[in-house]
Amino acid sequence: KIADDAINSEHYTDASVDLAHVSTGAKTEVIAIACSDETTALTTGTAKVTFHMPYAFYLTGIKAGVTTAPVGATLTVDLNEAGSSCLTTPLTIDASEKTSATAATAAVIAGAGPALAADALMTIDIDQIGSSTAGAGLKVYLIGYQT
């Protein structure tokens, strides 16, 4: 058994602790993607945002938020890696809500996710925007850790 504070950073050589030996909770991070400006009504379409993953990433969660809530119908978003969906159940924001955290149906990560490759071409599709009022100010948050 090792006593409290018996090992500290001076006992490690440079880079001797790698990501594989760090707890998932300690290495969890969020990549935030702005999918629109703050006020213009969203429109549906594929590849509304395109970016490359900065590094290999294990997706453990995905969330979204808007500045203007969709009214009349849900706002529905899909995340794709190299043209294949990372979600078997899409990400939704319920009508009159501003976050996916309260969605009646949670997004399910599967398919091309959860392991996203370094430099993978990623796209975000907007499949539905509301019916009587479109949402605006969409941000998507990829939650996970580098691999």
Side-chain angles (χ1 to χ4, degrees), residues 24-106:
T24 299
K27 61 186 173 183
T28 297
E29 61 184 275
V30 175
I31 298 173
I33 301 111
C35 301
S36 69
D37 67 31
E38 291 295 304
T39 57
T40 304
L42 296 169
T43 59
T44 59
T46 58
K48 296 300 255 182
V49 175
T50 300
F51 62 99
H52 288 87
M53 286 303 299
Y55 34 73
F57 191 77
Y58 192 84
L59 189 65
T60 60
I62 185 168
K63 292 185 178 184
V66 291
T67 305
T68 301
V71 177
T74 60
L75 189 150
T76 306
V77 175
D78 194 13
L79 173 71
N80 303 285
E81 179 188 35
S84 296
S85 180
C86 298
L87 307 172
T88 53
T89 301
L91 179 62
T92 59
I93 297 175
D94 292 339
S96 302
E97 297 286 332
K98 290 189 174 184
T99 177
S100 62
T102 55
T105 304

Side-chain angles (χ1 to χ4, degrees), residues 114-130:
L116 307 177
D119 297 318
L121 178 64
M122 305 296 296
T123 57
I124 295 176
D125 302 341
I126 301 175
D127 298 329
Q128 186 170 294
I129 55 171

